[in-house]
Amino acid sequence: MFFPRYRALISGQFTLFSLSSFCSSSCSHTVAAPPRRKFFARKSSLDTRTNRDTDNRRVMPSNVEIKAKVSNPMQFAKRASELSQSEGTIIRQHDTFFNCTQGRLKLRDFMNESGQLIFYERPDTEGPKLSRYSISPTSDPPSLRTVLSDALGVKGEVCKERRLFLIGQTRVHLDAVEGLGDYMELEVVMRPEQTVEDGQKVAEELMQQLGVSKQSLVMGAYMDLLLKGHTDT
C-alpha cells in the first residue's frame, strides 16, 4: 500500500518559468529582430509532456519592442501627436535595478506613492525584439526598495521623464533620460493570435511613420547604456 503512494508522490513535477519585460525609467539602447524561438520556459526532466501543458496554461504577456536615439525630440513629439491624435501623457519614473541571475528585475517608482515591480527577459539584439514580462503593483515603492536592496543588492538606477502616446496597439514613449539624453521606445502589445513576425511588422511600419532611422536604433536597456558609460550627446 505504501509503495504505490510513494511512486505517486515522486512522479510529480515542478516547472520553472521565467518572464520577460521592461524597464522604462531613466536610461537604455538599440536592437535587431531575433529569430523566432521559445524562451522563458524551463522544463523538468521528470515529465516533459505534462510540463509543456503547464507552460501553455501559464501564458505570459509579451511585447515587441524597438528603442532608438532621438536627435530632435520636438519633431518626434509632433509626429507622435499627429498619429495618436493626442498631446501624450507625462509620466515621471525612477527605476531601481536589482542584481538578478536571470533576466532583469526592477522596481519602478512613479513618484506618486505608486509603483510596479517588474521582471522581464528579452534578447539584446538590434531592431524589433520580443520581450516577456511579469508585473506586480505596489503602493509603497520605498519600503519595497529597501527590502530588495538588502536581499539582492542594487545594480543601478535610471531616472527619466516619459511622454506616452498610444497609437493603435503600440505604446510610443518619448523619454528624456537623466545622464543619457532623448530616446524613443515602441512597445507593440501583442494580441494572443499574433505572431512575433506580426509584432515586428507593426513596429517597423510605425518606426517609418515616426521618421526613426535604422542608424539611430540602440541595443539594450537604459541601465545597460548607463553602465557602459554612455552620456548625453
Side-chain angles (χ1 to χ4, degrees):
M1 296 296 291
F2 171 77
F3 185 67
R5 293 180 181 177
Y6 178 73
R7 291 188 59 190
L9 287 173
I10 66 172
S11 64
Q13 65 167 19
F14 302 89
T15 301
L16 298 175
F17 64 88
S18 46
L19 352 154
S20 84
S21 150
F22 99 46
C23 180
S24 277
S25 190
S26 300
C27 323
S28 192
H29 216 272
T30 316
V31 192
R36 186 179 180 184
R37 58 184 178 181
K38 293 182 179 178
F39 9 97
F40 324 112
R42 289 186 178 178
K43 298 184 169 103
S44 166
S45 59
L46 294 175
D47 188 341
T48 303
R49 178 181 57 80
T50 305
N51 222 353
R52 185 184 305 116
D53 294 340
T54 302
D55 289 339
N56 288 338
R57 289 194 298 268
R58 174 66 171 175
V59 178
M60 304 306 300
S62 61
N63 292 335
V64 167
E65 301 181 4
I66 289 180
K67 181 177 284 143
K69 180 73 175 174
V70 174
S71 58
N72 190 330
M74 292 184 64
Q75 184 177 13
F76 181 90
K78 180 180 179 181
R79 289 172 174 164
S81 295
E82 292 171 350
L83 291 172
S84 66
Q85 297 183 347
S86 75
E87 294 302 314
T89 302
I90 302 297
I91 307 172
R92 294 176 60 209
Q93 297 177 343
H94 181 176
D95 291 347
T96 303
F97 286 78
F98 302 96
N99 295 320
C100 187
T101 57
Q102 182 175 353
R104 294 182 174 96
L105 179 67
K106 68 181 177 182
L107 175 64
R108 172 160 293 166
D109 189 341
F110 293 111
M111 314 303 290
N112 61 0
E113 298 185 350
S114 70
Q116 297 173 330
L117 182 63
I118 305 165
F119 175 81
Y120 68 100
E121 285 188 341
R122 69 181 176 217
D124 286 331
T125 55
E126 292 186 349
K129 52 197 174 294
L130 181 68
S131 173
R132 297 188 187 276
Y133 57 90
S134 180
I135 300 176
S136 178
T138 176
S139 60
D140 190 0
S143 178
L144 184 55
R145 182 186 298 110
T146 298
V147 174
L148 291 172
S149 298
D150 291 343
L152 302 174
V154 173
K155 183 177 182 180
E157 297 180 320
V158 174
C159 298
K160 66 175 176 289
E161 183 175 274
R162 163 165 290 177
R163 190 170 173 182
L164 168 65
F165 302 90
L166 300 178
I167 303 176
Q169 69 184 98
T170 305
R171 296 168 59 90
V172 178
H173 303 150
L174 176 58
D175 294 335
V177 185
E178 187 175 305
L180 287 180
D182 299 304
Y183 288 79
M184 77 93 209
E185 286 185 343
L186 304 183
E187 293 182 356
V188 182
V189 181
M190 300 293 289
R191 297 167 182 154
E193 73 277 8
Q194 288 181 308
T195 65
V196 175
E197 289 77 11
D198 292 335
Q200 291 173 343
K201 183 178 180 180
V202 172
E204 289 170 346
E205 290 178 350
L206 186 53
M207 186 177 76
Q208 293 179 353
Q209 292 176 328
L210 290 168
V212 178
S213 67
K214 293 183 178 180
Q215 291 73 25
S216 64
L217 294 176
V218 295
M219 182 172 57
Y222 294 136
M223 186 74 262
D224 300 328
L225 297 180
L226 286 172
L227 291 174
K228 291 178 182 177
H230 289 247
T231 58
D232 290 352
T233 56

